[in-house]
Amino acid sequence: MRDVGRGLADLVLPPLAHDSREATAAAGLTPDAWSRIKFLEAPVCDGCGAAFEFDGGAFAETRCAACIAQPYRFQRARAACLYDDHSRGLILRFKHGDQQQFAPLFARWIGRAAADLIEEADAVVPVPLHPFRLLSRRFNQAAEVARPLARQARLDYLPDALVRTSHTDSQGGKSRRGRRLNVKTAFAVTEAGRRRIKGRRILLIDDVLTTGATGEACARALIEAGARGVDLAVIARVRNARELTM
Ligand SMILES: [Zn+2]
């Protein structure tokens, strides 16, 4: 139902209402491609950022049933858009194609979607790539988005707070349990990071939320190292993240 409503809204509202024509064009995004992106706007689940199918008004729960039954290790999550056929190409081009011109645009998208999380955050930490991956991919897409986001929000940017401690397999094609085992001990807080996150509220940045296992592993490491709280903000989330988890 929401999708139909959003499709209509796209016809009615100018597709460049949020982003300037220059910014979307500079990122290689045509107005048509832009209009197909499904931005996730309130009301969304406070725990996982999923769009609520129905707006329950004043009596609405703030969390979806899955987040109430089995909360994530991070406190809250927001995603700028849905990870679907229309956003996947853009994000994969950004991730694997060195399309760094998307970074400021994605940072602004997250800035809107996660505005209330940003307001309460003290520092921004990107999910790190393993050094081997960094070599082959040449840049960390989460860091590329986190840096301009932190600058816009005037928050501390801590790119070296987290490191990967083991070379995890690709998360693709794994169940949530498999992904959890795969990443459980994959992240650690550095000595320098420990001093800078202690007692502070951290906004963790990643590109895509699928099962949430990576975000949970990072959140666990940050909390154990003394962070006061951890929220997660991503460019895109799959529609049924919690259904992948069972
Ligand atoms: Zn939820």
Side-chain angles (χ1 to χ4, degrees):
M1 292 295 285
R2 284 201 78 78
D3 289 347
V4 174
R6 198 143 295 144
L8 288 174
D10 285 340
L11 291 176
V12 175
L13 297 170
L16 300 175
H18 285 311
D19 297 299
S20 72
R21 191 172 290 278
E22 292 75 25
T24 50
L29 205 51
T30 65
D32 185 51
W34 195 100
S35 70
R36 291 173 196 276
I37 305 285
K38 292 195 184 71
F39 291 98
L40 296 170
E41 284 154 15
V44 297
C45 169
D46 199 42
C48 69
F52 280 128
E53 294 298 318
F54 304 101
D55 187 351
F59 300 104
E61 292 281 358
T62 58
R63 295 192 170 230
C64 71
C67 283
I68 291 169
Q70 193 183 9
Y72 281 124
R73 296 294 294 261
F74 43 83
Q75 280 180 306
R76 298 176 292 183
R78 293 292 185 277
C81 67
L82 202 60
Y83 190 65
D84 62 6
D85 291 343
H86 304 300
S87 65
R88 186 178 299 115
L90 282 176
I91 290 167
L92 291 180
R93 270 162 64 202
F94 173 57
K95 199 164 169 166
H96 298 293
D98 285 353
Q99 303 270 342
Q100 294 181 46
Q101 73 271 24
F102 284 122
L105 191 66
F106 288 154
R108 278 208 308 283
W109 288 4
I110 293 179
R112 279 197 303 270
D116 47 348
L117 277 50
I118 290 167
E119 193 148 311
E120 291 172 30
D122 299 309
V124 175
V125 172
V127 169
L129 272 188
H130 192 277
F132 297 158
R133 293 262 182 86
L134 197 53
L135 281 179
S136 62
R137 197 179 282 165
R138 302 215 287 282
F139 80 110
N140 175 353
Q141 70 280 3
E144 293 301 313
V145 173
R147 191 186 317 111
L149 181 78
R151 193 170 52 228
Q152 285 160 31
R154 297 171 192 269
L155 294 171
D156 262 3
Y157 173 57
L158 310 177
D160 303 318
L162 276 176
V163 288
R164 295 237 181 199
T165 53
S166 57
H167 185 56
T168 48
D169 297 332
S170 169
Q171 290 284 66
K174 286 194 167 62
S175 67
R176 186 187 191 195
R177 191 177 141 69
R179 287 179 183 229
R180 269 188 156 169
L181 292 174
N182 190 29
V183 297
K184 191 164 185 184
T185 57
F187 299 94
V189 174
T190 59
E191 262 323 298
R194 195 173 288 270
R195 284 194 295 277
R196 301 192 66 184
I197 64 158
K198 198 168 178 56
R200 305 180 84 197
R201 185 157 198 98
I202 305 300
L203 183 65
L204 186 64
I205 303 294
D206 204 358
D207 51 359
V208 179
L209 186 157
T210 46
T211 64
T214 298
E216 289 201 284
C218 291
R220 183 185 299 113
L222 289 164
I223 295 282
E224 283 173 3
R228 183 162 55 86
V230 178
D231 294 319
L232 172 68
V234 297
I235 303 164
R237 80 188 299 289
V238 297
R239 188 189 297 273
N240 58 347
R242 311 279 339 223
E243 286 162 27
L244 297 173
T245 68
M246 303 303 161

